[in-house]
Amino acid sequence: MSRLYIMLRFYIFLLPACLFVFAYPVIRLSHWYGAGPGLNLYHALLIWAFSVAAMLYSFHGPKMKIRYPVVHWMGISFVFAVLTLLAEGLRLILPLADALVAQGVLVAGALVVLFSILLAHHLSVKRLQIFSRKVSRSYRVAQISDVHIGSRQGGFMRRIVARLNALDADYVVVTGDLIDSSTVDYDALESIKHINAPTFFVIGNHERYVGLPKIIALAERLGMITLRQESAVREQLVFLGIDDADHKDQVAQHLPSIDKDPDKFSILLYHRPLGWESAIEHGIDLMLSGHTHNGQIFPFNLMVKQQYNRITGLYRQGDSHLYVSAGSGTWGPCMRLGSLNEITVFEIKPA
């Protein structure tokens, strides 16, 4: 799948989506408040054009002072667009005054936005047990994914590191999208050096967007072990890592050529929840992914399900497991609704 095709598909979705997210709630709420035809299609197109321009400008290059207000405006507008759409349906059922509907949307929107911002600052720990005949003692492996430093600040990374160290893991894995901006520097990630366990890292899509030479150099400086189409044996475990790619056959293409030990418990790190079938075929015991954020803000999870069959949680087939993390951070607006930031801890125990 070419990058040009991916970009075209993205913009074909983006342009009408911006009209719904940014212009639709403004037009409808102003109408319900009595603005009449004052805000019409002309104004909607102006709002749409300004919104698209602001997004494209803020997401290209190190423009974080502009990006923060733009992405939060995007998240807040999305909440109000969904609530406005729900209000349209409610008006078809109940004979409510327009001004009352508008006031209800504004109050509900403010409460939902506040709740989603508070939820995005919460960091949960999810614990899972996996039993295997390949280990003679228990191992504790902690996964973080999609931290998105850039959208989030270095202080959030320090909170994650503190929680990881409190978990006393034998190993830590980072399944991509650690950063999402070219402005992220060593200081924002410096706390990673203080993780008190060997840490394995694989490339996500945002690392590719930012630039691989920078993040690979940062990872080495931070003491992480970057796995790129390779494996690393540690005691009775073998960690395998594959770079993220836009095409769905990335795992199937690279996994056969990576060294494996069938007598050791194998953990495959790949950013997207794709390629598990190939992992099963090659005897992988546990595949760890992220990328989906579990939709991050409802009802985006319904859209994500159209692209990925497995968007969050633990899946099992025979002796093989796949876990898809909902993500440890947030991309774009610091908001979550219907999903949680998580650190996942796997207790790998003798069967």
Side-chain angles (χ1 to χ4, degrees):
M1 188 183 297
S2 70
R3 187 171 183 83
L4 176 61
Y5 172 77
I6 293 167
M7 293 295 291
L8 286 173
R9 189 175 66 176
F10 173 74
Y11 285 116
I12 289 171
F13 167 79
L14 175 69
L15 297 181
C18 283
L19 192 62
F20 168 73
V21 169
F22 294 109
Y24 167 68
V26 175
I27 299 297
R28 295 304 290 149
L29 288 172
S30 61
H31 174 72
W32 290 338
Y33 262 122
L39 289 175
N40 51 29
L41 180 60
Y42 170 75
H43 296 96
L45 291 176
L46 281 179
I47 296 169
W48 171 80
F50 177 78
S51 303
V52 171
M55 287 181 62
L56 294 180
Y57 181 75
S58 66
F59 277 93
H60 287 79
K63 307 179 181 75
M64 297 307 292
K65 289 183 179 179
I66 299 172
R67 180 181 174 186
Y68 283 128
V70 169
V71 296
H72 284 85
W73 173 35
M74 177 178 67
I76 293 167
S77 295
F78 176 75
V79 169
F80 277 96
V82 172
L83 290 175
T84 302
L85 187 63
L86 292 175
E88 298 271 24
L90 190 62
R91 290 176 70 248
L92 296 175
I93 301 172
L94 300 174
L96 300 173
D98 286 351
L100 180 62
V101 173
Q103 290 168 7
V105 170
L106 291 174
V107 171
L111 292 174
V112 170
V113 166
L114 178 61
F115 177 73
S116 65
I117 291 173
L118 292 174
L119 204 60
H121 286 82
H122 176 69
L123 188 59
S124 64
V125 175
K126 189 171 182 179
R127 300 174 184 271
L128 297 167
Q129 292 185 340
I130 294 177
F131 295 89
S132 174
R133 293 184 295 274
K134 296 181 180 180
V135 295
S136 59
R137 74 167 184 88
S138 294
Y139 291 92
R140 184 175 296 167
V141 177
Q143 177 196 16
I144 61 173
S145 189
D146 302 273
V147 180
H148 285 281
I149 300 301
S151 289
R152 306 302 293 256
Q153 300 300 298
F156 186 67
M157 190 72 244
R158 288 191 290 274
R159 282 184 57 203
I160 289 176
V161 170
R163 292 296 293 274
L164 285 170
N165 287 340
L167 293 169
D168 194 27
D170 296 295
Y171 300 96
V172 172
V173 298
V174 184
T175 49
D177 283 7
L178 177 63
I179 69 172
D180 64 13
S181 170
S182 58
T183 63
V184 175
D185 57 15
Y186 174 81
D187 290 341
L189 301 171
E190 188 272 340
S191 58
I192 292 174
K193 286 193 70 172
H194 304 292
I195 296 177
N196 58 13
T199 302
F200 295 96
F201 169 68
V202 291
I203 300 300
N205 56 299
H206 280 275
E207 278 82 25
R208 294 191 291 112
Y209 304 156
V210 170
L212 290 182
K214 172 178 178 172
I215 186 59
I216 290 170
L218 273 175
E220 182 178 359
R221 189 178 172 191
L222 292 164
M224 293 191 292
I225 303 161
T226 304
L227 296 176
R228 304 189 66 196
Q229 291 68 253
E230 58 190 318
S231 62
V233 175
R234 295 294 186 273
E235 302 177 71
Q236 299 173 63
L237 309 179
V238 54
F239 295 88
L240 306 90
I242 297 175
D243 286 6
D244 174 80
D246 292 320
H247 58 84
K248 63 181 181 179
D249 297 324
Q250 177 77 341
V251 171
Q253 179 179 340
H254 290 284
L255 188 56
S257 62
I258 301 176
D259 289 339
K260 307 171 206 50
D261 186 337
D263 296 325
K264 297 183 185 299
F265 187 91
S266 53
I267 302 175
L268 172 62
L269 312 178
Y270 183 63
H271 181 59
R272 305 186 191 212
L274 295 174
W276 187 35
E277 294 77 11
S278 181
I280 294 170
E281 180 183 342
H282 288 87
I284 298 298
D285 298 292
L286 175 62
M287 177 174 173
L288 300 180
S289 299
H291 186 63
T292 69
H293 294 225
N294 192 20
Q296 187 166 318
I297 302 175
F298 178 85
F300 270 118
N301 60 316
L302 303 179
M303 304 176 196
V304 175
K305 282 183 179 179
Q306 302 306 308
Q307 188 171 6
Y308 298 101
N309 294 329
R310 308 172 183 98
I311 70 167
T312 188
L314 182 67
Y315 303 86
R316 179 176 179 177
Q317 183 172 322
D319 293 329
S320 183
H321 302 76
L322 165 69
Y323 185 78
V324 186
S325 169
S328 307
T330 49
W331 175 84
C334 184
M335 299 169 65
R336 273 199 183 263
L337 192 63
S339 62
L340 291 173
N341 300 324
E342 70 173 60
I343 296 173
T344 318
V345 182
F346 300 90
E347 297 278 358
I348 302 168
K349 298 184 174 184

